[in-house]
Amino acid sequence: MRLEWYQLSLGIIVTICSFVAGEPLATELNRKVPEMVVLDSLSNLYEGVSFDHALHDSYASCVECHHHVAGQPSADPACSSCHRSGTVDIVVDCKSCHLTDPFYGDLLSAKRNLSRYHIDMTGLIGAYHLNCLGCHLALTTGPTGCLDCHQRKRNDSLPQGINGTHEETE
Amino acid sequence: MKEETRRGTTFTRRSLLKGMVAAVATAISMRPSRDSSAHDFHGYDSNRGVLVDLTRCIGCRSCEVACSQEHGLAPPDGMLENYQPLEPQYRETRRPDHQAFTVVNQYQSPLYDHPLFKKTQCNHCLEPACLTACFVNAYTKTPEGAVIYNESVCVGCRTCMVACPFSIPAFRYDSAFDAQIMKCNFCFDTRLSKGRPPACVEACPMEALTFGYRDELLKIARKRLRDLPGRYHREIYGEFEAGGTSWLYLSPVPFEEAGFDTRVPRQPILHFVKDFLAVVPMVLTIWPGLFAGIYLLAKSNKTADNTTSKEDKSDETIER
């Protein structure tokens, strides 16, 4: 009976300690987390996309978008085999890893290096759409139409525009 | 007897037959070298390609718009304002023609709960059937991987349209003075020759199209098959089809379910006609000389027979 009380108190102390130890990291992250993010890599064609980060924070865990750079180990076994413990990187924004031009010549040549593992990392546009639409379609909530996220620029007189093709014709 | 053999060295039936056998033997012995030289070609090392992932395509047809703008063609039918996958006009099966080098078709498979979208365009084969069928060399396979077409030498025979296992080359019938084959050229002049991806790839919002070196794309495809088991049908369309194509496909269902022709042979189309084609030069070069020779010999033999028949008869009687 006495032993059980001892075990219980030890358990409580360990729990409190781990909570306290984990607390500074969590608060530090929370402080950095922005409420709204404007994704404007395509802003030459469309208005920037307003992304409600706080809203998505309540729906999804950090790893679902930030993989292994936001303090938690990745859920994807293909990533976690190397990135066992999550690190908090200085930059956690998508475009620091997912390139706006994923098919430029030097990268294609670098991918031919046999020891390279990251040969199939999507570009920025692909990463956004695959992640956003993948979730929105699966949960049947959230915007899925083009203009639901991408507001057309007012002075855009061209009938229709897809990515870089407008620029080419202009 | 001695006299006869000496006469025989000039021409007898036996020496004639010997000569014929020798000629045929040389002709046959020349063939294997020609075959093996063609066998060794497995595509250029710098062959670029595109990996099409059907699990990613949402059927927005941005690639069609980008293609038509790049090549100055009429914009595709229907607006792409919104993502409406079940609009009826997508359901019919279209194929590339002189007004559209690429088309996206929708397929519904009982094995998959989403509609499937398949982009069709020239697959830029490693050993193109159109190229081998063309007798004026209007087609070129560039080291970058594109199969391009030169309208200035084309005579309009349209053999390439028959030869293509994917039914891609289209003929512009509606222009009497500017009739020519129209097909996807991998954006060779404007983009690929400068190391840039084709317009359709750049336009794809879902990155359903991945541009890169073909050998690298095969590795990427196998990595996806390995990392995401259950998501894909475990084959890569285009790895072996028609001897290998630059455009490769991954599908969540068996390929025939998504509108692919799985009856396309696994070896280059050229292999089916190579044995026959190898005989053609022999027939055209050796046969005229050979048969003309036989004819002339036979003719001169006849005249010789007439003059020497009496001598022969006397010889034979003596021997007997």
Side-chain angles (χ1 to χ4, degrees):
Chain A
M1 195 68 184
R2 206 178 146 196
L3 194 68
E4 278 178 20
W5 179 86
Y6 171 72
Q7 278 179 332
L8 187 69
S9 63
L10 187 72
I12 290 166
I13 289 163
V14 167
T15 316
I16 290 167
C17 281
S18 63
F19 198 74
V20 168
E23 194 68 356
L25 181 67
T27 47
E28 198 189 332
L29 267 178
N30 278 340
R31 253 199 318 229
K32 280 183 191 169
V33 168
E35 290 286 309
M36 291 289 287
V37 184
V38 177
L39 314 171
D40 54 359
S41 295
L42 277 175
S43 57
N44 57 334
L45 298 175
Y46 301 99
E47 301 288 349
V49 176
S50 302
F51 175 71
D52 192 338
H53 192 277
L55 179 75
H56 287 83
D57 199 18
S58 61
Y59 278 125
S61 63
C62 305
V63 287
E64 284 185 43
C65 298
H66 292 289
H67 312 299
H68 53 78
V69 295
Q72 295 163 332
S74 174
D76 188 347
C79 306
S80 58
S81 58
C82 289
H83 303 282
R84 282 192 193 87
S85 59
T87 52
V88 184
D89 286 17
I90 301 159
V91 279
V92 293
D93 55 342
C94 309
K95 63 173 178 284
S96 58
C97 292
H98 295 280
L99 305 170
T100 46
D101 183 10
F103 304 121
Y104 72 95
D106 289 348
L107 181 66
L108 293 187
S109 307
K111 278 186 184 177
R112 295 188 111 182
N113 185 350
L114 288 173
S115 59
R116 190 186 174 97
Y117 179 77
H118 289 129
I119 54 171
D120 191 22
M121 216 152 85
T122 49
L124 187 64
I125 297 168
Y128 279 142
H129 287 118
L130 285 169
N131 217 10
C132 297
L133 265 181
C135 224
H136 289 184
L137 288 172
L139 299 173
T140 59
T141 180
T144 52
C146 304
L147 295 175
D148 297 345
C149 294
H150 302 278
Q151 295 302 313
R152 219 174 257 296
K153 282 200 168 176
R154 295 248 173 80
N155 55 359
D156 188 2
S157 57
L158 287 158
Q160 52 194 6
I162 312 294
N163 295 351
T165 47
H166 261 197
E167 260 188 332
E168 306 290 322
T169 50
E170 284 270 300
Chain B
M1 191 66 185
K2 265 188 181 176
E3 261 188 28
E4 204 182 61
T5 36
R6 209 184 299 144
R7 215 186 292 145
T9 46
T10 51
F11 47 78
T12 59
R13 195 187 296 165
R14 187 178 296 170
S15 69
L16 190 71
L17 284 168
K18 267 186 198 167
M20 276 171 71
V21 168
V24 171
T26 11
I28 289 166
S29 67
M30 278 161 72
R31 281 183 52 212
S33 63
R34 239 181 255 149
D35 272 10
S36 61
S37 67
H39 260 300
D40 289 337
F41 184 71
H42 291 293
Y44 292 104
D45 185 48
S46 54
N47 199 113
R48 311 301 204 289
V50 176
L51 175 66
V52 185
D53 192 330
L54 265 68
T55 65
R56 291 185 179 181
C57 182
I58 53 167
C60 70
R61 296 166 73 205
S62 301
C63 47
E64 287 187 32
V65 175
C67 180
S68 66
Q69 288 184 351
E70 184 75 20
H71 297 287
L73 303 168
D77 292 338
M79 293 295 278
L80 312 173
E81 285 292 301
N82 265 305
Y83 166 48
Q84 291 164 322
L86 292 171
E87 239 175 80
Q89 75 239 32
Y90 301 120
R91 286 185 187 154
E92 60 184 289
T93 303
R94 301 176 298 154
R95 49 176 276 199
D97 58 19
H98 63 287
Q99 287 173 326
F101 296 164
T102 183
V103 294
V104 178
N105 285 317
Q106 179 180 303
Y107 296 90
Q108 198 78 48
S109 166
L111 304 172
Y112 200 59
D113 53 354
H114 293 295
L116 280 164
F117 300 97
K118 189 217 163 195
K119 180 182 184 298
T120 311
Q121 73 298 308
C122 174
N123 283 323
H124 299 276
C125 305
L126 302 186
E127 279 194 67
C130 54
L131 183 151
T132 46
C134 181
F135 67 91
V136 291
N137 277 344
Y139 286 93
T140 310
K141 175 76 178 171
T142 73
E144 291 87 351
V147 179
I148 54 171
Y149 160 83
N150 178 7
E151 73 276 5
S152 62
V153 295
C154 177
V155 294
C157 72
R158 284 159 278 166
T159 316
C160 51
M161 292 170 67
V162 182
C164 178
F166 304 106
S167 308
I168 295 300
F171 199 70
R172 188 159 67 189
Y173 288 102
D174 58 1
S175 173
F177 297 103
D178 204 13
Q180 63 176 71
I181 293 287
M182 304 284 280
K183 78 163 196 71
C184 162
N185 64 354
F186 217 142
C187 294
F188 181 75
D189 300 330
T190 47
R191 289 159 172 273
L192 189 67
S193 56
K194 295 163 188 141
R196 289 172 59 209
C200 51
V201 170
E202 240 176 46
C204 182
M206 294 296 279
E207 219 174 296
L209 310 174
T210 306
F211 173 75
Y213 289 97
R214 185 178 183 269
D215 54 351
E216 196 55 42
L217 293 176
L218 282 170
K219 279 202 279 176
I220 292 174
R222 291 204 190 93
K223 186 171 151 55
R224 285 186 198 172
L225 293 180
R226 191 176 63 236
D227 289 350
L228 302 162
R231 188 183 167 107
Y232 297 105
H233 173 63
R234 302 193 66 77
E235 263 180 85
I236 306 165
Y237 191 89
E239 186 177 10
F240 302 113
E241 274 70 16
T245 58
S246 301
W247 280 64
L248 306 162
Y249 299 84
L250 285 176
S251 162
V253 294
F255 288 105
E256 57 270 20
E257 292 278 324
F260 288 87
D261 186 356
T262 48
R263 296 165 303 167
V264 173
R266 293 204 143 197
Q267 58 266 59
I269 306 301
L270 173 65
H271 283 200
F272 294 97
V273 291
K274 197 152 63 178
D275 291 342
F276 166 73
L277 288 176
V279 178
V280 171
M282 187 190 81
V283 170
L284 292 180
T285 54
I286 297 171
W287 281 24
L290 187 69
F291 289 122
I294 291 167
Y295 171 73
L296 288 172
L297 284 171
K299 205 178 174 189
S300 56
N301 237 351
K302 231 178 218 173
T303 50
D305 276 354
N306 288 339
T307 51
T308 59
S309 56
K310 277 180 185 176
E311 284 179 32
D312 282 348
K313 270 178 189 173
S314 58
D315 282 353
E316 276 169 20
T317 46
I318 290 160
E319 274 190 9
R320 272 172 198 171

mmCIF file of all heavy atoms in Angstrom, chain B residues 193-225:
data_model
loop_
_atom_site.group_PDB
_atom_site.id
_atom_site.type_symbol
_atom_site.label_atom_id
_atom_site.label_comp_id
_atom_site.label_asym_id
_atom_site.label_seq_id
_atom_site.Cartn_x
_atom_site.Cartn_y
_atom_site.Cartn_z
ATOM 1 N N SER B 193 15.274 22.395 -75.982
ATOM 2 C CA SER B 193 16.644 22.602 -76.452
ATOM 3 C C SER B 193 17.407 23.544 -75.528
ATOM 4 O O SER B 193 18.633 23.575 -75.542
ATOM 5 C CB SER B 193 16.634 23.148 -77.880
ATOM 6 O OG SER B 193 15.863 24.323 -77.935
ATOM 7 N N LYS B 194 16.692 24.315 -74.722
ATOM 8 C CA LYS B 194 17.344 25.206 -73.754
ATOM 9 C C LYS B 194 17.346 24.597 -72.355
ATOM 10 O O LYS B 194 17.627 25.294 -71.368
ATOM 11 C CB LYS B 194 16.622 26.554 -73.723
ATOM 12 C CG LYS B 194 16.744 27.305 -75.046
ATOM 13 C CD LYS B 194 15.710 28.413 -75.150
ATOM 14 C CE LYS B 194 15.748 28.996 -76.564
ATOM 15 N NZ LYS B 194 14.416 29.301 -77.067
ATOM 16 N N GLY B 195 16.969 23.327 -72.262
ATOM 17 C CA GLY B 195 17.002 22.643 -70.975
ATOM 18 C C GLY B 195 15.806 22.915 -70.099
ATOM 19 O O GLY B 195 15.823 22.573 -68.914
ATOM 20 N N ARG B 196 14.782 23.534 -70.660
ATOM 21 C CA ARG B 196 13.602 23.850 -69.851
ATOM 22 C C ARG B 196 12.492 22.823 -70.075
ATOM 23 O O ARG B 196 12.407 22.217 -71.135
ATOM 24 C CB ARG B 196 13.091 25.252 -70.209
ATOM 25 C CG ARG B 196 14.012 26.373 -69.722
ATOM 26 C CD ARG B 196 13.579 27.710 -70.256
ATOM 27 N NE ARG B 196 12.222 28.048 -69.860
ATOM 28 C CZ ARG B 196 11.400 28.828 -70.568
ATOM 29 N NH1 ARG B 196 11.807 29.324 -71.708
ATOM 30 N NH2 ARG B 196 10.199 29.094 -70.139
ATOM 31 N N PRO B 197 11.623 22.639 -69.073
ATOM 32 C CA PRO B 197 10.532 21.675 -69.244
ATOM 33 C C PRO B 197 9.497 22.185 -70.244
ATOM 34 O O PRO B 197 9.388 23.396 -70.449
ATOM 35 C CB PRO B 197 9.929 21.578 -67.843
ATOM 36 C CG PRO B 197 10.277 22.859 -67.185
ATOM 37 C CD PRO B 197 11.603 23.270 -67.743
ATOM 38 N N PRO B 198 8.725 21.278 -70.861
ATOM 39 C CA PRO B 198 7.685 21.722 -71.785
ATOM 40 C C PRO B 198 6.603 22.538 -71.082
ATOM 41 O O PRO B 198 6.483 22.505 -69.852
ATOM 42 C CB PRO B 198 7.120 20.423 -72.345
ATOM 43 C CG PRO B 198 7.567 19.350 -71.426
ATOM 44 C CD PRO B 198 8.816 19.821 -70.787
ATOM 45 N N ALA B 199 5.822 23.268 -71.869
ATOM 46 C CA ALA B 199 4.834 24.209 -71.322
ATOM 47 C C ALA B 199 3.820 23.509 -70.424
ATOM 48 O O ALA B 199 3.431 24.038 -69.378
ATOM 49 C CB ALA B 199 4.122 24.919 -72.466
ATOM 50 N N CYS B 200 3.389 22.299 -70.812
ATOM 51 C CA CYS B 200 2.374 21.593 -70.036
ATOM 52 C C CYS B 200 2.874 21.270 -68.633
ATOM 53 O O CYS B 200 2.126 21.373 -67.658
ATOM 54 C CB CYS B 200 1.956 20.319 -70.763
ATOM 55 S SG CYS B 200 3.335 19.280 -71.282
ATOM 56 N N VAL B 201 4.142 20.904 -68.531
ATOM 57 C CA VAL B 201 4.710 20.551 -67.225
ATOM 58 C C VAL B 201 4.735 21.778 -66.314
ATOM 59 O O VAL B 201 4.372 21.705 -65.140
ATOM 60 C CB VAL B 201 6.130 19.964 -67.391
ATOM 61 C CG1 VAL B 201 6.818 19.812 -66.050
ATOM 62 C CG2 VAL B 201 6.081 18.627 -68.097
ATOM 63 N N GLU B 202 5.152 22.905 -66.893
ATOM 64 C CA GLU B 202 5.238 24.127 -66.088
ATOM 65 C C GLU B 202 3.852 24.589 -65.638
ATOM 66 O O GLU B 202 3.711 25.212 -64.599
ATOM 67 C CB GLU B 202 5.915 25.236 -66.898
ATOM 68 C CG GLU B 202 7.175 25.725 -66.239
ATOM 69 C CD GLU B 202 7.902 26.753 -67.080
ATOM 70 O OE1 GLU B 202 7.276 27.696 -67.611
ATOM 71 O OE2 GLU B 202 9.116 26.598 -67.211
ATOM 72 N N ALA B 203 2.837 24.253 -66.432
ATOM 73 C CA ALA B 203 1.495 24.735 -66.123
ATOM 74 C C ALA B 203 0.776 23.862 -65.103
ATOM 75 O O ALA B 203 -0.202 24.301 -64.506
ATOM 76 C CB ALA B 203 0.665 24.796 -67.401
ATOM 77 N N CYS B 204 1.237 22.643 -64.897
ATOM 78 C CA CYS B 204 0.485 21.712 -64.042
ATOM 79 C C CYS B 204 0.512 22.153 -62.584
ATOM 80 O O CYS B 204 1.582 22.221 -61.979
ATOM 81 C CB CYS B 204 1.060 20.303 -64.167
ATOM 82 S SG CYS B 204 0.156 19.092 -63.185
ATOM 83 N N PRO B 205 -0.633 22.450 -61.997
ATOM 84 C CA PRO B 205 -0.640 22.919 -60.613
ATOM 85 C C PRO B 205 -0.431 21.802 -59.589
ATOM 86 O O PRO B 205 -0.038 22.060 -58.465
ATOM 87 C CB PRO B 205 -2.034 23.530 -60.450
ATOM 88 C CG PRO B 205 -2.876 22.799 -61.424
ATOM 89 C CD PRO B 205 -1.978 22.456 -62.575
ATOM 90 N N MET B 206 -0.718 20.573 -59.976
ATOM 91 C CA MET B 206 -0.619 19.456 -59.026
ATOM 92 C C MET B 206 0.711 18.714 -59.134
ATOM 93 O O MET B 206 0.922 17.713 -58.466
ATOM 94 C CB MET B 206 -1.764 18.470 -59.260
ATOM 95 C CG MET B 206 -3.131 19.025 -58.964
ATOM 96 S SD MET B 206 -3.338 19.440 -57.233
ATOM 97 C CE MET B 206 -3.688 17.825 -56.543
ATOM 98 N N GLU B 207 1.555 19.181 -60.010
ATOM 99 C CA GLU B 207 2.811 18.484 -60.314
ATOM 100 C C GLU B 207 2.532 17.013 -60.634
ATOM 101 O O GLU B 207 3.267 16.123 -60.206
ATOM 102 C CB GLU B 207 3.832 18.644 -59.178
ATOM 103 C CG GLU B 207 5.244 18.829 -59.734
ATOM 104 C CD GLU B 207 6.290 19.134 -58.675
ATOM 105 O OE1 GLU B 207 6.171 20.200 -58.046
ATOM 106 O OE2 GLU B 207 7.190 18.332 -58.485
ATOM 107 N N ALA B 208 1.448 16.804 -61.360
ATOM 108 C CA ALA B 208 1.170 15.465 -61.871
ATOM 109 C C ALA B 208 2.166 15.114 -62.967
ATOM 110 O O ALA B 208 2.344 13.955 -63.305
ATOM 111 C CB ALA B 208 -0.251 15.382 -62.415
ATOM 112 N N LEU B 209 2.800 16.142 -63.539
ATOM 113 C CA LEU B 209 3.813 15.959 -64.568
ATOM 114 C C LEU B 209 5.167 16.306 -63.963
ATOM 115 O O LEU B 209 5.358 17.420 -63.470
ATOM 116 C CB LEU B 209 3.536 16.854 -65.779
ATOM 117 C CG LEU B 209 2.117 16.823 -66.354
ATOM 118 C CD1 LEU B 209 1.967 17.873 -67.437
ATOM 119 C CD2 LEU B 209 1.800 15.457 -66.925
ATOM 120 N N THR B 210 6.079 15.362 -63.979
ATOM 121 C CA THR B 210 7.427 15.589 -63.454
ATOM 122 C C THR B 210 8.403 15.475 -64.601
ATOM 123 O O THR B 210 8.433 14.458 -65.297
ATOM 124 C CB THR B 210 7.768 14.544 -62.368
ATOM 125 O OG1 THR B 210 6.740 14.573 -61.385
ATOM 126 C CG2 THR B 210 9.101 14.837 -61.719
ATOM 127 N N PHE B 211 9.190 16.523 -64.794
ATOM 128 C CA PHE B 211 10.145 16.566 -65.899
ATOM 129 C C PHE B 211 11.531 16.169 -65.397
ATOM 130 O O PHE B 211 11.906 16.508 -64.276
ATOM 131 C CB PHE B 211 10.166 17.991 -66.470
ATOM 132 C CG PHE B 211 11.226 18.236 -67.507
ATOM 133 C CD1 PHE B 211 11.086 17.738 -68.794
ATOM 134 C CD2 PHE B 211 12.351 18.989 -67.205
ATOM 135 C CE1 PHE B 211 12.060 17.972 -69.752
ATOM 136 C CE2 PHE B 211 13.325 19.231 -68.158
ATOM 137 C CZ PHE B 211 13.178 18.729 -69.435
ATOM 138 N N GLY B 212 12.287 15.452 -66.207
ATOM 139 C CA GLY B 212 13.649 15.092 -65.810
ATOM 140 C C GLY B 212 14.277 14.152 -66.810
ATOM 141 O O GLY B 212 13.701 13.882 -67.868
ATOM 142 N N TYR B 213 15.479 13.669 -66.468
ATOM 143 C CA TYR B 213 16.112 12.651 -67.301
ATOM 144 C C TYR B 213 15.301 11.369 -67.173
ATOM 145 O O TYR B 213 14.827 11.036 -66.094
ATOM 146 C CB TYR B 213 17.555 12.418 -66.862
ATOM 147 C CG TYR B 213 18.473 13.562 -67.200
ATOM 148 C CD1 TYR B 213 18.784 14.545 -66.269
ATOM 149 C CD2 TYR B 213 19.022 13.662 -68.473
ATOM 150 C CE1 TYR B 213 19.617 15.599 -66.587
ATOM 151 C CE2 TYR B 213 19.861 14.710 -68.804
ATOM 152 C CZ TYR B 213 20.150 15.683 -67.853
ATOM 153 O OH TYR B 213 20.970 16.719 -68.186
ATOM 154 N N ARG B 214 15.191 10.627 -68.279
ATOM 155 C CA ARG B 214 14.323 9.448 -68.267
ATOM 156 C C ARG B 214 14.768 8.424 -67.242
ATOM 157 O O ARG B 214 13.944 7.851 -66.518
ATOM 158 C CB ARG B 214 14.291 8.809 -69.657
ATOM 159 C CG ARG B 214 13.314 7.649 -69.736
ATOM 160 C CD ARG B 214 13.249 7.042 -71.124
ATOM 161 N NE ARG B 214 12.247 5.981 -71.163
ATOM 162 C CZ ARG B 214 12.513 4.714 -70.913
ATOM 163 N NH1 ARG B 214 13.725 4.339 -70.598
ATOM 164 N NH2 ARG B 214 11.544 3.803 -70.984
ATOM 165 N N ASP B 215 16.067 8.171 -67.149
ATOM 166 C CA ASP B 215 16.541 7.171 -66.180
ATOM 167 C C ASP B 215 16.208 7.606 -64.753
ATOM 168 O O ASP B 215 15.894 6.792 -63.888
ATOM 169 C CB ASP B 215 18.042 6.904 -66.355
ATOM 170 C CG ASP B 215 18.877 8.170 -66.309
ATOM 171 O OD1 ASP B 215 18.284 9.264 -66.306
ATOM 172 O OD2 ASP B 215 20.117 8.074 -66.286
ATOM 173 N N GLU B 216 16.273 8.921 -64.535
ATOM 174 C CA GLU B 216 15.961 9.454 -63.211
ATOM 175 C C GLU B 216 14.468 9.331 -62.911
ATOM 176 O O GLU B 216 14.064 9.012 -61.790
ATOM 177 C CB GLU B 216 16.392 10.924 -63.154
ATOM 178 C CG GLU B 216 16.490 11.482 -61.780
ATOM 179 C CD GLU B 216 17.396 10.657 -60.892
ATOM 180 O OE1 GLU B 216 18.474 10.224 -61.346
ATOM 181 O OE2 GLU B 216 17.003 10.430 -59.749
ATOM 182 N N LEU B 217 13.650 9.551 -63.931
ATOM 183 C CA LEU B 217 12.194 9.450 -63.754
ATOM 184 C C LEU B 217 11.783 8.021 -63.405
ATOM 185 O O LEU B 217 10.867 7.807 -62.614
ATOM 186 C CB LEU B 217 11.475 9.911 -65.022
ATOM 187 C CG LEU B 217 11.600 11.390 -65.349
ATOM 188 C CD1 LEU B 217 10.925 11.690 -66.686
ATOM 189 C CD2 LEU B 217 10.976 12.251 -64.267
ATOM 190 N N LEU B 218 12.483 7.051 -64.004
ATOM 191 C CA LEU B 218 12.187 5.652 -63.673
ATOM 192 C C LEU B 218 12.488 5.390 -62.202
ATOM 193 O O LEU B 218 11.750 4.682 -61.521
ATOM 194 C CB LEU B 218 13.003 4.714 -64.566
ATOM 195 C CG LEU B 218 12.481 4.539 -65.997
ATOM 196 C CD1 LEU B 218 13.500 3.792 -66.847
ATOM 197 C CD2 LEU B 218 11.162 3.790 -66.007
ATOM 198 N N LYS B 219 13.578 6.005 -61.709
ATOM 199 C CA LYS B 219 13.921 5.844 -60.289
ATOM 200 C C LYS B 219 12.869 6.509 -59.404
ATOM 201 O O LYS B 219 12.469 5.951 -58.377
ATOM 202 C CB LYS B 219 15.307 6.456 -60.008
ATOM 203 C CG LYS B 219 16.455 5.546 -60.390
ATOM 204 C CD LYS B 219 17.725 5.920 -59.644
ATOM 205 C CE LYS B 219 18.415 7.089 -60.293
ATOM 206 N NZ LYS B 219 19.595 7.557 -59.568
ATOM 207 N N ILE B 220 12.428 7.698 -59.807
ATOM 208 C CA ILE B 220 11.395 8.408 -59.038
ATOM 209 C C ILE B 220 10.115 7.575 -59.008
ATOM 210 O O ILE B 220 9.481 7.411 -57.964
ATOM 211 C CB ILE B 220 11.134 9.801 -59.647
ATOM 212 C CG1 ILE B 220 12.347 10.709 -59.443
ATOM 213 C CG2 ILE B 220 9.893 10.443 -59.021
ATOM 214 C CD1 ILE B 220 12.245 12.055 -60.128
ATOM 215 N N ALA B 221 9.762 7.019 -60.174
ATOM 216 C CA ALA B 221 8.538 6.212 -60.258
ATOM 217 C C ALA B 221 8.636 4.997 -59.340
ATOM 218 O O ALA B 221 7.698 4.678 -58.609
ATOM 219 C CB ALA B 221 8.301 5.783 -61.698
ATOM 220 N N ARG B 222 9.794 4.338 -59.357
ATOM 221 C CA ARG B 222 9.960 3.153 -58.498
ATOM 222 C C ARG B 222 9.957 3.542 -57.033
ATOM 223 O O ARG B 222 9.460 2.787 -56.190
ATOM 224 C CB ARG B 222 11.274 2.440 -58.851
ATOM 225 C CG ARG B 222 11.209 1.803 -60.203
ATOM 226 C CD ARG B 222 12.170 0.646 -60.373
ATOM 227 N NE ARG B 222 12.188 0.268 -61.779
ATOM 228 C CZ ARG B 222 13.061 0.749 -62.652
ATOM 229 N NH1 ARG B 222 14.008 1.573 -62.255
ATOM 230 N NH2 ARG B 222 13.004 0.382 -63.913
ATOM 231 N N LYS B 223 10.486 4.724 -56.735
ATOM 232 C CA LYS B 223 10.473 5.202 -55.344
ATOM 233 C C LYS B 223 9.035 5.419 -54.874
ATOM 234 O O LYS B 223 8.683 5.078 -53.746
ATOM 235 C CB LYS B 223 11.271 6.505 -55.255
ATOM 236 C CG LYS B 223 11.451 7.036 -53.837
ATOM 237 C CD LYS B 223 12.436 8.203 -53.842
ATOM 238 C CE LYS B 223 12.173 9.201 -52.740
ATOM 239 N NZ LYS B 223 12.131 8.638 -51.402
ATOM 240 N N ARG B 224 8.204 5.979 -55.760
ATOM 241 C CA ARG B 224 6.792 6.186 -55.388
ATOM 242 C C ARG B 224 6.094 4.844 -55.192
ATOM 243 O O ARG B 224 5.290 4.679 -54.271
ATOM 244 C CB ARG B 224 6.067 6.998 -56.473
ATOM 245 C CG ARG B 224 6.450 8.459 -56.427
ATOM 246 C CD ARG B 224 5.631 9.291 -57.389
ATOM 247 N NE ARG B 224 6.288 10.571 -57.638
ATOM 248 C CZ ARG B 224 5.903 11.446 -58.542
ATOM 249 N NH1 ARG B 224 4.854 11.204 -59.291
ATOM 250 N NH2 ARG B 224 6.562 12.574 -58.705
ATOM 251 N N LEU B 225 6.389 3.877 -56.063
ATOM 252 C CA LEU B 225 5.778 2.548 -55.926
ATOM 253 C C LEU B 225 6.192 1.902 -54.605
ATOM 254 O O LEU B 225 5.415 1.205 -53.964
ATOM 255 C CB LEU B 225 6.191 1.648 -57.092
ATOM 256 C CG LEU B 225 5.686 2.019 -58.487
ATOM 257 C CD1 LEU B 225 6.184 1.019 -59.519
ATOM 258 C CD2 LEU B 225 4.170 2.064 -58.527
#
